[in-house]
Amino acid sequence: MSDDIKRQKQEIRKRIWRIMWEQGICRFPPPFGRIPNFVGAEDAARLLRQLPEWRKAEVVFCNPDSPQHPVRAFALEDGKKLIMATPRIRQGFLLLDPDKLRGVNPRRATTIRGAFQYGRKLYLEEIPNIDLKVCGSVAVDYAGNRIGKGHGYSEIEWGILSELGKVDESTPVITTVHDVQVVDSCPAEPHDVPCDVIVTPTRVIRCQRTREKPKGIFWELVTEDMLSEIPILRELKRRSGLIKS
C-alpha cells in the first residue's frame, strides 16, 4: 500500500468515525478503530433481506462485527447456511446450519460467543461455495470501493475463498452501512474487494463498479506475522506449495 493511499484511507476513516460520534448515530462500542455499530442496522438488514441476491442465496458468508449481527440472524431465520469469520480470522471460519439449530434463538446463535457455541469450525476442504458475501465498512463509495477498519481482514477472507474457488467475479458482495458512511470517492488498490450493492437503513444502492474483484491471495502482501496470527492462511499457503511448514 502506498503511503499516500494509506493516508487518504485513514483520513476518511477518521472523518466518518468523528461524524458518527458527533451525530450520535453509532451504538456501543464507540466507533473509533472499528466497523461502526450504526443506528438503523436492523433496518438495513431488513432491506437486504428483500434483495434477489439474498433470496437466491443458500450459503451466506458474513463478518462477525456488531452492525451485521441482524444480517447473520436473518440468514438463520431464512434457512440459509451461515459461514461466519471468527474475529481477526484467528480461528478460521465457522458454519452455522439452521437445520441443526432448531429451537435455538438465531440472534443468540449469531453473536460471536453463540457462533463458537453452536457453530462448527470448518477445515479448508469443508468450506462450501459462497452464494453471497456480506461485509461491514467504515466508508464506501458509489463505485463500490470500500474502506474497512484498516487491517485487511475482509480482503484476506475473500482471498482465501477465492484461492479455494469458493467465490469469483459473479459472487455478490454487499455491505450494510449508515447513510453517512456512503461517500463520493474512496481510494482503492488491486487487492481491495469492491461491493456490488450498498444497503443503508433508507435505500439500496447498486454500485457502478469500475474494477473487477481480485483473484486469489496477494501473497507478496502477506507477512510472517499474518501467517502466525491466521493459521488458516498459513495452511493454505502450505497447501499451495509456497511453504513447507
Side-chain angles (χ1 to χ4, degrees), residues 36-217:
N37 189 14
F38 61 93
V39 173
E42 294 84 0
D43 293 328
R46 291 187 190 98
L47 279 182
L48 168 58
R49 199 180 191 184
Q50 298 173 17
L51 299 184
E53 292 90 344
W54 178 269
R55 292 174 177 168
K56 290 189 294 186
E58 296 180 2
V59 180
V60 174
F61 187 101
C62 192
N63 59 302
D65 299 275
S66 296
Q68 282 69 49
H69 184 203
V71 174
R72 301 193 298 270
F74 283 151
L76 292 189
E77 286 183 22
D78 292 348
K80 304 178 188 298
K81 290 182 179 179
L82 175 66
I83 310 296
M84 187 171 161
T86 57
R88 298 178 180 266
I89 328 177
R90 284 177 176 167
Q91 298 190 53
F93 304 145
L94 300 170
L95 167 66
L96 290 99
D97 187 340
D99 291 337
K100 298 179 180 179
L101 296 175
R102 299 187 186 280
V104 179
N105 186 323
R107 288 196 63 83
R108 179 180 178 184
T110 51
T111 62
I112 293 175
R113 179 178 296 180
F116 278 107
Q117 179 179 353
Y118 297 105
R120 179 172 66 84
K121 186 176 178 179
L122 292 174
Y123 295 103
L124 286 175
E125 61 271 13
E126 295 180 306
I127 298 173
N129 290 332
I130 306 302
D131 299 317
L132 170 64
K133 187 178 190 294
V134 179
C135 57
S137 303
V138 175
V140 61
D141 68 18
Y142 293 94
N145 301 310
R146 65 173 287 279
I147 296 175
K149 54 193 170 190
H151 300 294
Y153 295 122
S154 187
E155 279 64 40
I156 295 171
E157 292 164 6
W158 178 270
I160 292 171
L161 296 170
S162 175
E163 197 83 15
L164 293 170
K166 306 304 180 181
V167 296
D168 58 27
E169 175 64 26
S170 68
T171 306
V173 176
I174 299 179
T175 189
T176 58
V177 295
H178 193 278
D179 289 273
V180 302
Q181 294 174 263
V182 183
V183 299
D184 290 333
S185 178
C186 290
E189 298 173 276
H191 61 274
D192 290 331
V193 182
C195 297
D196 296 288
V197 184
I198 304 165
V199 184
T200 80
T202 64
R203 56 183 172 155
V204 173
I205 302 168
R206 295 202 169 268
C207 302
Q208 301 299 313
R209 285 203 291 122
T210 58
R211 299 186 300 114
E212 291 188 351
K213 293 161 188 163
K215 298 178 181 178
I217 294 173

